[in-house]
Amino acid sequence: MKYRIYLFITIIVLSACSHKKDVQVERIANVKYISVTDSVYASLPGRFFYQNKKIYWEDATGSENFMHMIDATTGKGLYCFANKGGGPGEFTNPVPSLLPQGGICIKNLENHLAVLYKPSADTLKETITAFWGGGRWSNAVAIDDTTITYLYPGKGMPFQFQRKSHIIHFGHAPIGKTCTNGYDRFQGPVKYNDERKILVYCTFDFPYMAIYNMSNEKFKLIKEMNEPFEYSVNNANIHLNDDTPFGTFDMDMTKDYIVALRCDKTYENIITRRSYLENPLKRPQSVFVYNYNLQLVKIYNFPFGLLRIAGDLKSNDVYLIAMKPEYEIIKFKIQ
C-alpha cells in the first residue's frame, strides 16, 4: 500500500515537472515589418512614444526643437517643438513622457518646470505648469495634467506619486540589500498604462521587471521578475560582475503585452558590462514579449540593432527605432 502511495506521489511530481518543461518560448525570425520613416536625423534618438496614430521621438543631443511628432500612418513630420536652454519654458535636462489623455509632458530634471504639449486639430497647444518634487529622481511618468510619478532609484521605496501637494511613496528596491549606490544601479525605464492602471519598471544594469497596480491611489506590487545574476556588496555598495548581462534597454506596452528590448542569447551575443565598454554602440536585436503576468511568451529576432521601442495600447502594434545602420522607424504586429 505504501509503495502505491509513493508511486502515485512520484507520478504527480514528475507530471508537474514535465508540464513546466513543456512551456516553450516561441522565437520568430524573418519578422514581417513595414518602414514608417527613415527620416530620423539625430546622432542619438532618445525617448520614443506612440499614441493615437502619432509617433513622438526625442533628439537627445539636440537643442532647438528636440521633440519630433510624426504621422504614424504616412511617416510625415507634423511638429518639431521644445527647446533646451535657460529661458522661460526651456529645459536644461528634459524628461519626456506620454500624457495618457493625449500629448506629451516634458518635465525638467533641474527644477519644477513642466510643459504639456497637446495636439489639437492643426495646432499644438503648449501649457507651462509645474510638478513639485525634488531630490535625486531619474525618471518620471505623467499620470494626468496634475499628477506625476517619480522614480527615485536610490531610495528603499523608489516611487513617489504626486498630485499637487498630495504625496504617496511606494514600491521597493530591486535588490533587497541596503546600499548607497542604488541611484546608479537601479535606474531604468518606467512606463504607465492608463488602460490597466499599472506602472511597469525595469532596470538597465541587470535583468529585473516589476508591475505595480495604481488603481484608486492604492499602490500594490502585482508581480516581479528576478533573474539570477552575480553581484556582491562591499562597503554598502552593490558591485556587479563584469560578465553580468544587461537587463532591459527600453520597454513599453501594447494592449495585451509588455515589450522589451533585450539580448536573446540563443540568437545574438549577450551585451555585458565588459562587452559594452568594448563596443558602446552595440544594441540588442530582439524584442521580448511578456504577458501581463510577466511570462515570456515570444521573442522576435531582427537582423539589426534596435534602439527604442513604443507600443500601441489599443492594439498589439509595436514601433521600433532600428539601426539599419541609419536610424529608421519600423512597425510590426505581435501575432
Side-chain angles (χ1 to χ4, degrees):
M1 184 65 181
K2 288 184 179 180
Y3 172 78
R4 292 180 180 178
I5 293 174
Y6 292 149
L7 180 61
F8 177 75
I9 293 173
T10 301
I11 292 172
I12 294 296
V13 171
L14 290 176
S15 297
C17 293
S18 175
H19 178 71
K20 289 181 180 179
K21 289 179 181 179
D22 287 340
V23 176
Q24 298 291 327
V25 175
E26 181 184 6
R27 283 179 168 81
I28 300 97
N30 301 316
V31 184
K32 294 181 180 179
Y33 65 86
I34 62 172
S35 175
V36 177
T37 180
D38 59 1
S39 301
V40 183
Y41 302 122
S43 58
L44 180 65
R47 288 173 174 85
F48 182 57
F49 311 97
Y50 171 87
Q51 185 185 64
N52 299 333
K53 300 182 180 180
K54 297 177 179 65
I55 292 172
Y56 301 87
W57 66 272
E58 175 195 15
D59 181 355
T61 58
S63 296
E64 293 187 2
N65 295 318
F66 63 84
M67 286 299 304
H68 299 255
M69 181 172 71
I70 68 174
D71 187 311
T73 303
T74 65
K76 178 183 177 181
L78 299 175
Y79 296 104
C80 297
F81 58 98
N83 297 320
K84 294 178 185 176
E90 294 184 336
F91 306 92
T92 53
N93 200 338
V95 180
S97 66
L98 274 182
L99 282 166
Q101 298 73 29
I104 288 284
C105 168
I106 304 182
K107 174 71 177 72
N108 200 48
L109 188 66
E110 309 294 337
N111 53 40
H112 302 310
L113 170 70
V115 183
L116 312 180
Y117 298 91
K118 297 184 178 182
S120 177
D122 294 329
T123 62
L124 186 67
K125 183 179 179 182
E126 175 181 328
T127 304
I128 297 177
T129 184
F131 285 123
W132 305 105
R136 299 192 72 196
W137 61 275
S138 66
N139 209 340
V141 288
I143 308 302
D144 56 42
D145 289 8
T146 62
T147 310
I148 197 166
T149 297
Y150 294 102
L151 169 65
Y152 288 86
K155 293 187 176 182
M157 298 179 71
F159 298 104
Q160 178 177 300
F161 172 91
Q162 188 160 336
R163 176 171 287 137
K164 297 182 179 179
S165 60
H166 178 52
I167 295 175
I168 301 174
H169 299 276
F170 68 96
H172 67 83
I175 297 177
K177 302 283 186 181
T178 301
C179 68
T180 57
N181 64 338
Y183 181 85
D184 299 316
R185 290 284 79 89
F186 302 152
Q187 294 203 34
V190 180
K191 294 291 177 69
Y192 174 67
N193 184 331
D194 194 55
E195 302 288 325
R196 294 175 177 264
K197 307 299 180 187
I198 61 172
L199 187 82
V200 180
Y201 162 54
C202 305
T203 50
F204 294 129
D205 277 1
F206 54 88
Y208 174 83
M209 186 181 293
I211 303 177
Y212 289 89
N213 186 293
M214 295 181 63
S215 301
N216 303 316
E217 296 188 18
K218 294 180 180 179
F219 307 99
K220 181 181 179 181
L221 177 67
I222 300 175
K223 190 85 173 180
E224 64 182 339
M225 178 184 68
N226 290 287
E227 296 180 17
F229 64 94
E230 293 185 9
Y231 71 94
S232 61
V233 181
N234 186 20
N235 294 326
N237 283 337
I238 291 176
H239 298 276
L240 300 176
N241 188 297
D242 286 343
D243 294 319
T244 298
F246 275 101
T248 299
F249 282 74
D250 199 13
M251 170 272 299
D252 209 341
M253 288 169 274
T254 71
K255 179 181 178 182
D256 299 310
Y257 303 104
I258 299 169
V259 288
L261 297 185
R262 296 187 58 184
C263 292
D264 180 7
K265 64 182 180 181
T266 66
Y267 175 77
E268 60 192 300
N269 292 328
I270 296 295
I271 302 176
T272 65
R273 298 171 61 80
R274 189 194 309 276
S275 66
Y276 183 77
L277 291 175
E278 296 171 355
N279 183 9
L281 297 179
K282 180 78 166 64
R283 289 297 181 271
Q285 296 178 216
S286 302
V287 176
F288 282 47
V289 180
Y290 302 87
N291 62 24
Y292 280 98
N293 198 37
L294 288 189
Q295 294 173 321
L296 180 62
V297 292
K298 297 175 187 283
I299 300 177
Y300 287 84
N301 301 129
F302 289 83
F304 38 72
L306 305 173
L307 185 67
R308 302 292 178 189
I309 191 167
D312 179 7
L313 293 178
K314 304 293 186 180
S315 73
N316 288 317
D317 290 343
V318 178
Y319 296 82
L320 299 161
I321 297 183
M323 304 163 69
K324 302 183 59 181
E326 302 298 324
Y327 298 127
E328 182 176 326
I329 296 177
I330 63 175
K331 169 190 172 183
F332 78 97
K333 180 182 288 291
I334 300 172
Q335 301 289 350

